[in-house]
Amino acid sequence: MASVRDHLDSAAVDSRPTVADLQGDNPYTQAARKHWLDKAGQVKVRPEVLKSELWDVLDAEGFPFRSLLVLESLQILESYLWPGYTEDSSNYHVLLIVLIVNVKKRENLPIWDSFSLKPADFSSLFRRILSMNLDLSLLVHLRTHLLSFVISAFQSLDNGLVRKECAPLVSIAIWHNLHNDKVRSQRLDRHELLKKAWRASRKRYDTADDTVKARLRFERAWLCSMIVNFFDHLYGASDHHRDDILYCERFLEFLTDLESQLPTRRYVNTLVGDLNLISVVRRSPMFDEEGNALLRDMHSLLYHFVSFPMDDYTGRQQSRSESIEDHFKSLARLQRIGLKRFNSKLTIMALANYASIDKRDDLDGHLSSLTDAELTELCKLLDFRTAYPTSSKVRVDRAFLKEVLLSAHERRQTFQESVQSLSVRPTESTLFEPTLLRNESYSGSRPLAIPKLNLQYLTIGDFLWRSFILQRCETFFEIRKDIATAVRKVQPRLNPARGGTTFDGFSKMALPVPKPAMLEVFPPKVGQTRPAAVRAELSLDLGRLSEAVRREWDALRPDDVIFLLSVESPGDTSRTSNGHVPLLSPTDLGLKHLRLAEVVRLCDHEGRQLRHFREEGEVNGQGYGPRSTIRKLQVNLDTAAYQSDTERTANGKPDVYQTINLIVRRRSRENNFKPVLESMRSLALSNVPAPSWLEEVFLGFGDPSSATYTRLPNRLKTVDFRDTFLDWEHLVESFPGRIVRPATDDRPVIDPPYVLNVSAAEAPTQSTKVSGKRRRDGTEPAASSQTTVTVSTYQPPNLGPYATDAPRKNLVRFTPAQTEAIVSGTQPGLTVIVGPPGTGKTDVATQIINNLYHNFPEQRTLLVAHSNQALNQLFRKIIALDIDERHLLRLGHGEEELDTEASYSKHGRVESFLENRERFLADVDRLAVNFKAPGAHGNSCETAGYFDSVYVKPAWAKFKDVLEAPHPTAAAIAEAFPFHTYFSNAPQPLFPPEASSSVASEIANGCYRHIRKIFAELDDIRPFEILRTGRDKANYLLIKEARIIAMTSTHAAMRRQEIADLGFHYDNIVMEEAAQITEIETFIPMALQKPKDGRLPLQRVVLCGDHLQNSPIVQNLAFRQYANLEQSLFLRLIRLGVPSIKLDQQGRARPSIADLYRWRYTALADLPTIRNDPAFQRANAGFRYEYQFVNVDDYKGAGEVEPTPHFIQNLGEAEYAVAIYQYMRLLGYPARSISILAMYAGQRALIKDVLGHRCAKNALFGLPKTVTTVDRYQGEQNDYVILSLTRTSRIGYLRDIRRLTVALSRARLGLYILGRREVFASCHELKGAFDHLFTRSDRLQLSTGEVFPTARSIGDEVDATEMEGVEHLGQYVYEMTQARMAALSGANGEADNTRAGHVSPMAEEGPADDDVDGADDAEEGDAVDE
């Protein structure tokens, strides 16, 4: 039988089945049509049919991955294998289920949903799989697949069905396999709860019947038996040696997964240590074989987790001193035993200091004097296992015993030391490390020696270590890809005539340069050996570049990272053709050296610094002559690399910097890796904690609900919800099922604002699942039994007589779910808000911030989002509320895109303070006139303060006596009021004649509040008069004045250390788009301040997002799927069962459009406005349907094409999308109401190109509001969306239902989807949407004779005109255009150039050269279809 591994290793990504494969006459589609496709009733699986028609065919082919993918795509698991499974099913049946589940895992598809309806059968299946793992009669590669199934199960412990089967395999009962009772007793003595768990396990066994006892014996022996079989593969000879290697690699992955999560590690680590597994692997013949580098790397990763410094039971990470102390204790015990039992041979070792014996070579020298028998005795005295079952084939010889002793007593590198040793500045050696290149060629057939982001982490330090390792790998992958693309495009070639390398090609991201000139080498800092800085200068010739590309080079800013390359002609030109072949080494590119540099300044040819780019050719606005195309670029080199290069040159090697001949830049959005990685590394080295109330939930163990406000002791009893509720009816509606009553009985209904007794209103938030975890303290969460909400009110204070003094109020009528989210977010603790499309999670976040701002004036809130677009959208809504703009601050370059009158950047806020200063000082001068006080009182904030103390406060104190007199009249109050002159410009009369004394008193108090605000503002502005530099003023603004600070997660990562060093402090975090932010990018904003008393002083963390939409973008397939780097903290908390609040009413789309994605969410309803608003009741003018899937056939003989890797285009769909847009514009649809979305960056570029030829210069059409990819449009919406699915051969990454959910939920009133029906009709994961779409004709149905807007209602029948294809629609639009032009001008000839059906030459040839460059034009946020 052929090895499955051989085929899986060679499975290319583009081997996924096509539509032809799924509809052809191959054996699998024939079997599917015969046995399960479109079959009604219960499916019966006959073993002989399964073996002859499926298993034997696969076996004869050698189990090719492509064939397994075909079967999976034909829904064999959901429709045939699992429905037909019984306890009597054959082993072939079980193996086919395992193979298909493993295919689903590799394709990142849901696995366990299919099994949930038959839990008893799943338990039976799982037991059989466990037993078959121990069946040595099965071929090794089949047991490898069985093991992969178990690995997938242990990675899915959030699933209760799976957890129930896995948990007994790693319970304390496995300690029965320890080699003696003494070792077990020592372990049990460490914690009293361990003894309790052991006694419970023994009691369960003793009281069980024979059947249960047999099952318990199997469960506690299974893992140990697997490890023994693993030893057999390591040491035993086999005819299928390659399969043995793959099995051993997978088994090391399995053990690493068990060791890297606390619930599975707790007892497993003791068994692994007892079996001396690390030493057994290291001494195996397989370990030392030259071709098994992956096995050795997997061993190193396992060793890292096995020796991680922590308490395996409690999960507490050891400090560095505690870890060292434990290490010294083990050495001391070795010394004591050596001195007592081997005095004649180990005396020197026994008397040596610890530092001289904790290194492997030193300790080996001491142990070499012992005989074999003495080594065995020493191991026994130290409680090490010295005997193994014969079946394991482990050779317990002298070398093995020494390895056991050395591994146990050598000093191990801490995870902090490993992080410190890794550079974040790539060179050609670090960028092309074999381990990194192995990750690049990942196909899923073999494991990888990289950490995974699992459901749980061991400690915060462990989480930071994993995150840094993976982020560094992902960053280096992206850099390597960009460097390779640039080098390939410039086409280096050896030129013998010139004696060097010439470049025959072109890339806008790279420029040939002469060797750099070294300007200055700064001496090392105290305590260091490398230079403090190395300054160099490069000469850039931009003469060959277009104006647009020259602008990009001139936009280089200080601290931007560039790369200096030494390139020669590549040895193998086949690898530089199109990027499909993975790189194996730098020489494949012709890359000799690569050095990182940071921009200091960019100057013109005369050395004058370029600060601004002007189209007129001026620099700095000085207007001196035409600008030269020569640039002088000063850079700081990587000092560590420079020192190494200097030493290399001193040893006779060529000078690296003399060979530099190419400079490469990257887009600024992608080129911030250095500060981000440095922030991650500093966090990993700093032992930064999580907030104490959040730590266990963050790590993934303990009670999932322990961080919610209902479980915290500091929850608030009463909260002022101000304008959250619009009226009493709204308040009552917001708490369904609970009694809402006023605090006093004098009025049954009271007016807002409302103060709620929150303790009475609390109720458990919606849990995403019922947690099966047993709490350590043995208690269960207490359910809320209180059902009454007590409400009080108050009279809002009068803030002044001017219209601008009136507070701005919320106008949103929040739903009960939104109210629950606002209540939870206002309280301390963790709030997780799941917001399906259009459910108003941004409004909820805004109101939470508003409540925090007014209820806790001493607290500060950090607002974080993944993108500038989402952050600005939220910030605009905050500005519209009653929040003083002086307390708002927007950090990062995205502030420039914020469409507001005021600037909220640090510089803009400082300028605003100074502008406000002039206005408030003018008010002080007016007050001086009011009091007829001579002098320059409005000269400065200081003089204004004196004026306040001498004139204003005494005058008010005197007036207050009148207010507090017995029974003052309104007339007396008005007469005594001391500020009549100042308020003479307010609406008059200031005191209405009919006003009562209480009203007059409140008017006077409101006026004084207005005056007090003037002096409060001046008091805040005063530091800006004192501080001199702009930097000091900006920093003061950040750490003292701003109370709501907004930034992207990337900005937080880049500036983390800088912000923390300023003493920045905040109490709350509100995070938008949390499901699109990686875990480390979610954690970093929590650590922008320094800990207080060993803890981060955060009080609230509010996460808003939707895990059923797009996840974080990770380019590398290995890190995305294998390491799970695309996992967000938001998603992990949902998986863990942390209580969440799901917003359940959408107000974006027509109900019929919402039905396309409603099935993805539980009970997603529509807001009443959706059903009542006339805009949602009107039909779309010119269209029969408000939404429709339009089947697009091949256009000009082609469907999808791929001019460069992953740059996928479909000309037919591009032309169709533009034709629909033109048709809508001709009917009168506003261009701003239309967006065109594509699933791929290549298709976006093609649509833009077609629009440029058809519409850009034609006033009838213009351009739509947006043309972009679906990934970049998440969080946005428009009235009408035209969507191009692009794919015609295979479904690609569109099988990820999260992307389709985003695509279908962007439209409010009209959605028109262009695609190939046969591609999507057979996809099981997308059936919920496409079954709905396919109920209508897949030919575009037009309603002729209408203009926008139409009076036709959505349900009215019309006589539709069917478009046969893109040519038909193009001709129809052309005729409409001609008629419109004739009507406008009376001359048909003027419309000749507007024909829509005509394909421009550029469209025929493909997009322009710049757009074909997939690597250069792919934007951040666009996923790559691997």
Side-chain angles (χ1 to χ4, degrees):
M1 183 184 296
S3 169
V4 176
R5 175 178 179 269
D6 292 341
H7 291 279
L8 296 186
D9 277 347
S10 61
V13 175
D14 58 2
S15 67
R16 291 187 175 92
T18 64
V19 174
D21 294 322
L22 302 181
Q23 297 179 350
D25 292 327
N26 60 70
Y28 308 113
T29 56
Q30 291 177 0
R33 286 192 286 265
K34 181 178 178 182
H35 297 296
W36 68 83
L37 288 183
D38 301 324
K39 299 295 181 181
Q42 181 67 32
V43 174
K44 293 184 179 180
V45 178
R46 297 199 302 274
E48 64 277 8
V49 171
L50 185 143
K51 183 175 188 303
S52 61
E53 296 188 24
L54 293 174
W55 182 266
D56 289 347
V57 177
L58 286 169
D59 190 8
E61 293 179 348
F63 296 90
F65 183 66
R66 184 184 180 87
S67 296
L68 293 173
L69 271 175
V70 170
L71 284 172
E72 192 282 323
S73 300
L74 291 169
Q75 305 169 31
I76 186 175
L77 178 65
E78 298 84 359
S79 303
Y80 186 62
L81 294 177
W82 183 238
Y85 174 82
T86 66
E87 291 187 0
D88 300 326
S89 295
S90 66
N91 281 353
Y92 296 114
H93 195 149
V94 174
L95 286 169
L96 277 174
I97 290 176
V98 167
L99 288 171
I100 299 303
V101 166
N102 290 343
V103 168
K104 283 181 172 289
K105 177 65 176 178
R106 280 182 56 175
E107 293 295 288
N108 206 26
L109 298 172
I111 299 176
W112 310 112
D113 294 346
S114 303
F115 299 106
S116 59
L117 298 179
K118 298 166 60 179
D121 285 340
F122 179 77
S123 182
S124 165
L125 172 70
F126 200 88
R127 295 288 158 175
R128 290 193 56 181
I129 292 172
L130 294 178
S131 299
M132 292 170 72
N133 266 285
L134 298 174
D135 185 358
L136 300 183
S137 65
L138 287 175
L139 293 175
V140 176
H141 69 80
L142 293 179
R143 281 190 285 124
T144 302
H145 275 281
L146 291 165
L147 177 59
S148 295
F149 180 95
V150 176
I151 290 173
S152 298
F154 273 95
Q155 291 176 358
S156 307
L157 295 179
D158 54 308
N159 185 291
L161 190 69
V162 176
R163 184 172 61 251
K164 178 183 175 183
E165 305 302 326
C166 293
L169 304 178
V170 292
S171 69
I172 197 171
I174 65 175
W175 283 6
H176 281 281
N177 300 288
L178 301 183
H179 73 278
N180 61 43
D181 293 338
K182 177 185 175 184
V183 171
R184 183 165 52 246
S185 298
Q186 289 174 348
R187 284 287 177 176
L188 293 175
D189 288 341
R190 294 186 178 184
H191 292 282
E192 186 61 34
L193 290 177
L194 285 174
K195 294 180 181 179
K196 183 178 179 180
W198 178 255
R199 289 193 297 268
S201 175
R202 293 292 301 270
K203 181 179 179 181
R204 184 184 179 198
Y205 180 82
D206 294 339
T207 57
D209 57 30
D210 291 343
T211 303
V212 175
K213 282 184 176 179
R215 180 169 59 83
L216 294 175
R217 285 194 299 270
F218 174 80
E219 289 172 348
R220 73 192 190 192
W222 183 83
L223 181 59
C224 186
S225 300
M226 289 288 290
I227 294 175
V228 171
N229 290 344
F230 166 62
F231 291 166
D232 176 33
H233 287 283
L234 284 171
Y235 285 83
S238 173
D239 294 335
H240 302 286
H241 188 56
R242 291 192 65 200
D243 290 335
D244 286 319
I245 295 172
L246 178 57
Y247 180 86
C248 291
E249 291 169 352
R250 282 292 180 198
F251 198 83
L252 287 175
E253 177 195 3
F254 174 54
L255 291 177
T256 302
D257 285 352
L258 296 182
E259 289 281 0
S260 62
Q261 299 188 92
L262 184 61
T264 54
R265 172 195 178 92
R266 185 168 285 132
Y267 307 117
V268 169
N269 197 37
T270 298
L271 178 62
V272 167
D274 181 76
L275 291 167
N276 302 317
L277 189 141
I278 296 299
S279 299
V280 170
V281 176
R282 185 175 283 168
R283 290 300 309 163
S284 66
M286 190 181 292
F287 185 84
D288 292 325
E289 291 182 6
E290 182 179 356
N292 291 340
L294 176 58
L295 182 76
R296 290 188 287 274
D297 290 342
M298 295 293 297
H299 171 269
S300 299
L301 184 62
L302 175 62
Y303 183 47
H304 164 85
F305 282 111
V306 167
S307 59
F308 194 85
M310 64 175 296
D311 186 309
D312 290 338
Y313 184 72
T314 65
R316 190 181 70 84
Q317 180 177 319
Q318 291 181 326
S319 65
R320 180 176 175 83
S321 60
E322 289 173 330
S323 178
I324 293 174
E325 183 179 352
D326 282 354
H327 173 57
F328 288 167
K329 284 181 180 178
S330 68
L331 290 175
R333 186 178 181 221
L334 174 65
Q335 288 179 316
R336 287 195 302 271
I337 293 175
L339 184 63
K340 181 177 180 181
R341 306 300 290 269
F342 309 100
N343 185 30
S344 61
K345 296 184 177 181
L346 297 182
T347 301
I348 296 177
M349 183 200 74
L351 299 178
N353 61 67
Y354 296 145
S356 65
I357 60 172
D358 70 350
K359 298 179 180 60
R360 176 174 283 264
D361 292 341
D362 295 337
L363 186 57
D364 187 23
H366 290 292
L367 298 177
S368 297
S369 61
L370 299 180
T371 65
D372 293 357
E374 289 171 333
L375 280 172
T376 302
E377 182 183 0
L378 178 60
C379 287
K380 290 180 178 179
L381 291 170
L382 291 169
D383 298 321
F384 292 118
R385 181 190 288 265
T386 57
Y388 292 86
T390 305
S391 61
S392 70
K393 298 185 176 63
V394 175
R395 292 188 288 273
V396 184
D397 52 15
R398 179 182 181 83
F400 175 81
L401 294 172
K402 286 177 67 175
E403 179 59 40
V404 170
L405 292 169
L406 294 175
S407 295
H409 296 96
E410 67 179 339
R411 183 182 179 277
R412 299 158 183 164
Q413 185 184 44
T414 66
F415 73 90
Q416 292 99 334
E417 291 171 337
S418 68
V419 168
Q420 186 68 49
S421 65
L422 294 174
S423 173
V424 300
R425 298 172 173 85
T427 64
E428 74 281 357
S429 57
T430 57
L431 206 58
F432 288 84
E433 289 177 1
T435 53
L436 294 181
L437 297 177
R438 186 191 301 137
N439 300 334
E440 188 168 340
S441 58
Y442 172 75
S443 65
S445 61
R446 301 176 72 176
L448 295 172
I450 54 177
K452 300 177 184 177
L453 301 186
N454 292 330
L455 195 63
Q456 293 123 348
Y457 301 106
L458 301 179
T459 65
I460 296 295
D462 170 48
F463 161 72
L464 292 171
W465 175 81
R466 297 192 212 188
S467 299
F468 173 75
I469 296 295
L470 292 175
Q471 194 64 48
R472 178 178 180 269
C473 289
E474 167 73 2
T475 298
F476 280 22
F477 163 78
E478 293 175 356
I479 294 173
R480 186 169 60 251
K481 183 178 66 173
D482 291 345
I483 295 294
T485 300
V487 172
R488 286 173 179 139
K489 288 185 175 182
V490 297
Q491 300 176 19
R493 178 178 59 84
L494 181 63
N495 188 338
R498 299 179 57 180
T501 302
T502 59
F503 300 96
D504 296 336
F506 168 76
S507 170
K508 63 182 181 181
M509 308 305 289
L511 279 177
V513 292
K515 62 184 180 182
M518 294 299 173
L519 299 181
E520 188 174 5
V521 178
F522 295 82
K525 296 180 180 179
V526 176
Q528 295 185 354
T529 58
R530 65 187 187 189
V534 179
R535 186 73 50 82
E537 185 176 83
L538 297 110
S539 178
L540 310 182
D541 186 357
L542 309 184
R544 296 178 54 202
L545 306 181
S546 67
E547 191 70 13
V549 177
R550 192 182 307 167
R551 284 173 178 269
E552 294 180 11
W553 281 97
D554 280 339
L556 287 174
R557 297 177 298 186
D559 298 328
D560 279 355
V561 170
I562 58 169
F563 299 93
L564 307 180
L565 278 59
S566 173
V567 181
E568 59 184 11
S569 179
D572 183 3
T573 57
S574 66
R575 291 190 175 273
T576 65
S577 57
N578 57 13
H580 283 283
V581 183
L583 296 171
L584 300 180
S585 69
T587 56
D588 293 335
L589 278 175
L591 178 62
K592 293 176 60 179
H593 304 291
L594 180 146
R595 294 295 179 266
L596 178 145
E598 294 179 80
V599 174
V600 175
R601 64 176 61 89
L602 180 65
C603 304
D604 68 356
H605 65 293
E606 296 180 352
R608 289 174 291 196
Q609 188 168 353
L610 292 174
R611 294 188 182 274
H612 305 283
F613 186 98
R614 294 180 177 271
E615 293 188 12
E616 296 80 8
E618 298 178 352
V619 180
N620 285 336
Q622 298 172 20
Y624 55 85
R627 185 176 64 251
S628 169
T629 59
I630 302 299
R631 301 286 184 269
K632 299 295 183 182
L633 181 65
Q634 292 187 15
V635 297
N636 282 332
L637 301 178
D638 178 2
T639 56
Y642 179 82
Q643 183 183 30
S644 175
D645 293 336
T646 303
E647 295 171 356
R648 181 176 178 273
T649 304
N651 292 329
K653 299 290 181 66
D655 186 350
V656 170
Y657 300 98
Q658 295 298 311
T659 65
I660 296 295
N661 57 3
L662 190 69
I663 179 175
V664 176
R665 64 181 175 91
R666 302 175 71 220
R667 282 188 170 83
S668 58
R669 285 194 301 268
E670 305 156 359
N671 205 34
N672 48 33
F673 70 92
K674 180 176 167 288
V676 171
L677 289 179
E678 287 175 342
S679 291
M680 293 181 184
R681 182 166 64 180
S682 68
L683 280 174
L685 297 175
S686 64
N687 292 321
V688 64
S692 56
W693 53 269
L694 183 62
E695 184 166 350
E696 282 204 352
V697 172
F698 182 89
L699 292 175
F701 46 85
D703 180 6
S705 64
S706 62
T708 56
Y709 79 93
T710 57
R711 305 294 305 280
L712 294 179
N714 63 332
R715 66 179 182 268
L716 305 171
K717 299 300 182 183
T718 59
V719 175
D720 180 2
F721 283 93
R722 294 176 55 82
D723 56 355
T724 303
F725 306 102
L726 304 185
D727 49 46
W728 180 260
E729 182 183 3
H730 181 206
L731 177 64
V732 173
E733 291 172 352
S734 298
F735 296 96
R738 280 173 277 182
I739 299 172
V740 180
R741 63 176 181 82
T744 59
D745 296 330
D746 55 340
R747 287 190 297 168
V749 175
I750 57 179
D751 296 326
Y754 298 120
V755 179
L756 303 188
N757 186 324
V758 180
S759 62
E762 69 187 30
T765 50
Q766 305 165 19
S767 179
T768 54
K769 68 173 187 179
V770 178
S771 175
K773 298 183 179 69
R774 180 179 61 200
R775 300 190 70 228
R776 294 181 193 168
D777 57 9
T779 63
E780 293 298 326
S784 174
S785 60
Q786 298 174 323
T787 58
T788 301
V789 180
T790 305
V791 186
S792 59
T793 188
Y794 61 92
Q795 180 63 40
N798 186 319
L799 299 179
Y802 300 101
T804 55
D805 291 327
R808 290 165 291 190
K809 294 184 178 181
N810 162 59
L811 300 177
V812 178
R813 196 174 187 87
F814 293 110
T815 67
Q818 290 175 321
T819 300
E820 184 181 359
I822 292 168
V823 170
S824 178
T826 307
Q827 288 278 355
L830 172 66
T831 299
V832 179
I833 303 172
V834 180
T839 52
K841 57 180 178 289
T842 303
D843 289 325
V844 169
T846 303
Q847 191 62 29
I848 291 173
I849 294 167
N850 190 33
N851 288 348
L852 294 177
Y853 175 83
H854 290 286
N855 278 278
F856 310 101
E858 75 286 354
Q859 293 187 7
R860 315 177 80 205
T861 299
L862 186 64
L863 179 58
V864 180
H866 168 65
S867 66
N868 284 311
Q869 171 184 293
L871 190 62
N872 289 341
Q873 182 181 3
L874 180 55
F875 206 75
R876 279 192 292 268
K877 293 196 173 187
I878 292 173
I879 294 168
L881 293 178
D882 188 33
I883 294 177
D884 195 328
E885 70 173 27
R886 64 195 171 107
H887 293 142
L888 297 173
L889 179 62
R890 169 70 164 89
L891 299 181
H893 294 292
E895 193 276 337
E896 302 161 0
E897 304 168 11
L898 187 60
D899 186 18
T900 56
E901 293 182 3
S903 173
Y904 291 90
S905 66
K906 284 196 290 187
H907 175 74
R909 286 293 84 211
V910 171
E911 291 297 318
S912 177
F913 269 89
L914 297 178
E915 290 172 4
N916 290 340
R917 169 182 176 274
E918 301 303 321
R919 178 164 55 87
F920 289 128
L921 289 177
D923 286 339
V924 172
D925 286 334
R926 289 180 53 232
L927 279 168
V929 173
N930 180 90
F931 290 107
K932 299 179 180 178
H937 301 291
N939 188 52
S940 67
C941 296
E942 183 179 10
T943 58
Y946 291 142
F947 173 78
D948 182 36
S949 300
V950 174
Y951 289 94
V952 178
K953 288 180 178 178
W956 180 255
K958 182 178 179 181
F959 174 70
K960 199 171 182 182
D961 292 339
V962 177
L963 292 178
E964 295 174 352
H967 311 296
T969 64
I973 293 173
E975 183 179 355
F977 185 65
F979 303 108
H980 278 292
T981 302
Y982 177 79
F983 288 106
S984 61
N985 61 348
Q988 300 297 322
L990 191 60
F991 295 90
E994 68 279 6
S996 64
S997 60
S998 60
V999 172
S1001 175
E1002 184 58 23
I1003 291 173
N1005 278 293
C1007 290
Y1008 190 62
R1009 291 187 188 102
H1010 176 91
I1011 292 173
R1012 293 304 337 141
K1013 182 180 179 181
I1014 294 173
F1015 290 103
E1017 295 257 11
L1018 287 172
D1019 192 49
D1020 287 341
I1021 295 171
R1022 186 173 179 183
F1024 295 95
E1025 287 186 340
I1026 300 171
L1027 297 171
R1028 294 304 177 195
T1029 67
R1031 184 182 184 86
D1032 289 341
K1033 292 176 181 178
N1035 290 340
Y1036 178 85
L1037 177 70
L1038 173 64
I1039 64 177
K1040 292 293 185 182
E1041 193 62 35
R1043 287 178 50 199
I1044 298 175
I1045 303 97
M1047 65 182 74
T1048 63
S1049 55
T1050 301
H1051 185 85
M1054 291 174 61
R1055 304 298 182 189
R1056 184 256 162 193
Q1057 194 63 51
E1058 175 186 338
I1059 293 174
D1061 288 344
L1062 289 173
F1064 180 56
H1065 165 75
Y1066 53 100
D1067 306 272
N1068 316 300
I1069 287 182
V1070 178
M1071 192 168 293
E1072 261 276 41
E1073 292 184 326
Q1076 286 188 275
I1077 305 176
T1078 60
E1079 288 206 70
I1080 184 62
E1081 289 179 323
T1082 306
F1083 181 82
I1084 288 177
M1086 300 182 192
L1088 290 181
Q1089 56 186 329
K1090 294 184 178 179
K1092 292 183 178 180
D1093 301 324
R1095 291 291 173 188
L1096 292 177
L1098 274 178
Q1099 297 191 33
R1100 295 170 185 82
V1101 175
V1102 180
L1103 304 179
C1104 306
D1106 183 6
H1107 58 291
L1108 298 182
Q1109 296 188 60
N1110 281 345
S1111 61
I1113 298 297
V1114 177
Q1115 298 291 339
N1116 185 279
L1117 183 67
F1119 308 135
R1120 184 168 72 245
Q1121 293 189 4
Y1122 181 84
N1124 206 17
L1125 184 57
E1126 71 170 359
Q1127 175 176 268
S1128 64
L1129 174 62
F1130 187 93
L1131 172 60
R1132 188 165 66 87
L1133 293 178
I1134 296 292
R1135 291 180 61 199
L1136 286 167
V1138 171
S1140 63
I1141 302 165
K1142 185 169 69 176
L1143 308 184
D1144 55 5
Q1145 295 187 52
Q1146 70 90 21
R1148 173 183 295 171
R1150 298 183 192 270
S1152 57
I1153 294 178
D1155 288 341
L1156 298 175
Y1157 54 88
R1158 198 188 306 274
W1159 60 279
R1160 290 278 288 151
Y1161 301 93
T1162 304
L1164 178 61
D1166 302 313
L1167 286 172
T1169 54
I1170 293 296
R1171 302 192 180 275
N1172 301 330
D1173 189 336
F1176 291 95
Q1177 304 305 314
R1178 280 197 301 268
N1180 293 344
F1183 294 93
R1184 178 181 180 183
Y1185 300 118
E1186 72 279 15
Y1187 71 86
Q1188 189 179 2
F1189 177 90
V1190 180
N1191 186 63
V1192 181
D1193 298 320
D1194 285 354
Y1195 181 67
K1196 295 187 178 296
E1200 68 175 73
V1201 296
E1202 193 171 1
T1204 59
H1206 314 305
F1207 200 69
I1208 300 171
Q1209 299 179 324
N1210 184 324
L1211 181 59
E1213 289 188 19
E1215 291 283 358
Y1216 215 132
V1218 174
I1220 292 177
Y1221 168 71
Q1222 291 178 301
Y1223 174 70
M1224 296 176 72
R1225 292 289 290 130
L1226 289 170
L1227 295 184
Y1229 285 85
R1232 66 177 181 278
S1233 299
I1234 306 172
S1235 293
I1236 303 180
L1237 305 183
M1239 284 294 188
Y1240 293 89
Q1243 184 69 354
R1244 175 198 61 208
L1246 184 57
I1247 291 172
K1248 284 185 175 181
D1249 183 68
V1250 177
L1251 281 168
H1253 284 75
R1254 299 280 184 273
C1255 307
K1257 298 179 181 180
N1258 191 319
L1260 280 179
F1261 305 123
L1263 294 176
K1265 178 181 179 181
T1266 305
V1267 180
T1268 188
T1269 59
V1270 169
D1271 286 344
R1272 293 182 60 80
Y1273 205 60
Q1274 179 164 340
E1276 294 292 302
Q1277 65 183 35
N1278 209 343
D1279 289 345
Y1280 307 96
V1281 169
I1282 304 167
L1283 172 65
S1284 171
L1285 300 179
T1286 311
R1287 301 307 299 259
T1288 59
S1289 63
R1290 53 177 64 87
I1291 197 167
Y1293 80 5
L1294 302 187
R1295 196 171 184 183
D1296 185 345
I1297 184 60
R1298 296 173 299 182
R1299 281 196 173 85
L1300 187 68
T1301 301
V1302 175
L1304 297 178
S1305 59
R1306 299 306 97 197
R1308 296 181 66 247
L1309 304 175
L1311 174 63
Y1312 302 96
I1313 304 170
L1314 309 175
R1316 185 66 58 88
R1317 178 172 184 147
E1318 59 192 18
V1319 172
F1320 301 95
S1322 60
C1323 182
H1324 174 73
E1325 289 77 17
L1326 309 183
K1327 283 181 67 65
F1330 282 97
D1331 283 355
H1332 203 76
L1333 287 167
F1334 293 156
T1335 59
R1336 295 177 172 179
S1337 169
D1338 60 10
R1339 297 294 181 185
L1340 183 62
Q1341 305 287 308
L1342 302 184
S1343 175
T1344 59
E1346 293 182 334
V1347 293
F1348 177 88
T1350 181
R1352 176 167 54 94
S1353 297
I1354 195 70
D1356 295 347
E1357 288 294 328
V1358 296
D1359 294 329
T1361 300
E1362 183 173 283
M1363 296 292 105
E1364 297 298 327
V1366 61
E1367 294 91 345
H1368 187 185
L1369 179 62
Q1371 181 63 33
Y1372 188 79
V1373 171
Y1374 168 69
E1375 292 171 359
M1376 287 182 64
T1377 306
Q1378 293 285 68
R1380 173 63 61 85
M1381 295 296 291
L1384 292 176
S1385 65
N1388 292 334
E1390 296 184 15
D1392 288 344
N1393 295 324
T1394 62
R1395 180 175 177 178
H1398 172 70
V1399 180
S1400 67
M1402 185 174 293
E1404 290 177 350
E1405 298 166 3
D1409 291 342
D1410 285 346
D1411 287 336
V1412 173
D1413 184 355
D1416 279 359
D1417 281 78
E1419 296 186 33
E1420 183 184 25
D1422 292 334
V1424 174
D1425 192 346
E1426 300 286 358

